[in-house]
Amino acid sequence: MIYSYTRVSQYLMCPRRYRHRYLDGWQEKDTRSAMLFGRAFERALAAYFLRQDAAAALSQEWKLYQDQKLQYSHGDTWDRMLEQGIELLDRFCQEDRVRVRQPRRNLQIKFVRPLSAQDEFVAYVDALGRLDDRDCLIEWKTTSARYPEEPDGLLALDPQLICYSWITGISDVAQVVFVRKRLVEIQYLRTTINDEQRREFGQLVETTIQQIESAQFLPHSGIRFPQNPCSSCPYIGLCLGRQELVEAALIRRPGAEQLDCLDELHY
């Protein structure tokens, strides 16, 4: 079995959600504009480091979704997001704080860590490069709001950065956050992940996989003020038995219905 940060985090969020996605074959429809824009922007960043026209690359990638019915938030529109993206690319170029040597080798790098004879953990790291002339592992983020920077050291608790540090063995990590707002901004955040954090994450992965392989898929209800993760979960229609919600948010992988009889073994 191939595991990843996404698989482990999905299970920790809600084991039932993990079952819906990875065993029953349901997956979210690609309708969230922020997620799709993030993918397009990452391709534009790759073009930038390859000394290609990054703005043209962003326009080309984002144009694929121009006529689709996407879910926009915070007053976003297709045109406005493209405008912000080009402004961010221009600022990133002007500030010139990030360098990636050999970009074909050091962008979207695949790391594999064997866990057992049957299992392995896979991660794709956005970049290995230099931020302000210091070597580090880099993760790109696009968002409509600034990331919090206080209290000091907060970034070191980011589970995805800890995961990447664990699988690569690299202590110095950074997030470059591209903030889409009226006046665009780029945050350059960096931290250090220590040996103890990597060891604990390895233990978390091991424990989580044991629970998955023992077919423990009990739901984690999230209906509790002020945080209600069930309300925003795309799989809520399955848990409530509401077919209209299922059809609005999910599609099922071809052939997934053949898994139904196997799913009975997990109860």
Side-chain angles (χ1 to χ4, degrees), residues 26-195:
W26 292 101
Q27 59 189 36
E28 295 181 62
K29 293 181 178 179
D30 285 340
T31 58
R32 291 177 296 166
S33 61
M35 179 186 68
L36 296 172
F37 181 83
R39 293 177 186 173
F41 195 83
E42 285 190 10
R43 294 188 181 102
L45 287 172
Y48 167 79
F49 288 110
L50 291 168
R51 300 185 181 278
Q52 300 170 0
D53 189 331
L58 177 61
S59 298
Q60 180 180 358
E61 292 292 335
W62 188 226
K63 190 175 180 62
L64 297 175
Y65 310 108
Q66 186 173 14
D67 298 325
Q68 294 187 20
K69 294 182 179 180
L70 302 182
Q71 298 175 3
Y72 293 96
S73 59
H74 305 292
D76 285 337
T77 65
W78 186 92
D79 293 306
R80 178 57 180 152
M81 294 178 78
L82 176 60
E83 179 184 342
Q84 291 171 327
I86 293 175
E87 291 175 359
L88 284 165
L89 289 170
D90 184 58
R91 172 163 291 195
F92 185 66
C93 178
Q94 291 179 6
E95 293 176 345
D96 194 28
R97 294 177 60 180
V98 178
R99 303 291 177 89
V100 177
R101 297 175 180 174
Q102 297 181 293
R104 296 189 186 278
R105 177 181 177 182
N106 290 318
L107 291 173
Q108 283 297 305
I109 317 107
K110 180 180 180 180
F111 288 88
V112 179
R113 181 167 182 152
L115 301 174
S116 67
Q118 299 82 26
D119 301 328
E120 61 183 19
F121 196 100
V122 175
Y124 288 87
V125 172
D126 287 340
L128 296 179
R130 297 174 68 83
L131 170 58
D132 296 334
D133 295 322
R134 287 179 55 188
D135 292 337
C136 60
L137 180 156
I138 303 172
E139 180 187 21
W140 315 122
K141 291 291 186 181
T142 57
T143 177
S144 60
R146 296 184 86 257
Y147 275 27
E149 300 182 46
E150 298 292 340
D152 186 44
L154 181 65
L155 187 64
L157 302 181
D158 185 290
Q160 192 164 13
L161 289 178
I162 295 173
C163 170
Y164 290 162
S165 178
W166 167 75
I167 200 169
T168 63
I170 297 173
S171 299
D172 292 328
V173 299
Q175 280 182 342
V176 179
V177 185
F178 297 89
V179 188
R180 297 185 301 102
K181 56 182 185 178
R182 189 174 62 85
L183 296 176
V184 300
E185 178 185 0
I186 303 176
Q187 295 176 274
Y188 300 89
L189 311 176
R190 63 184 310 146
T191 191
T192 300
I193 307 299
N194 61 42
D195 291 339

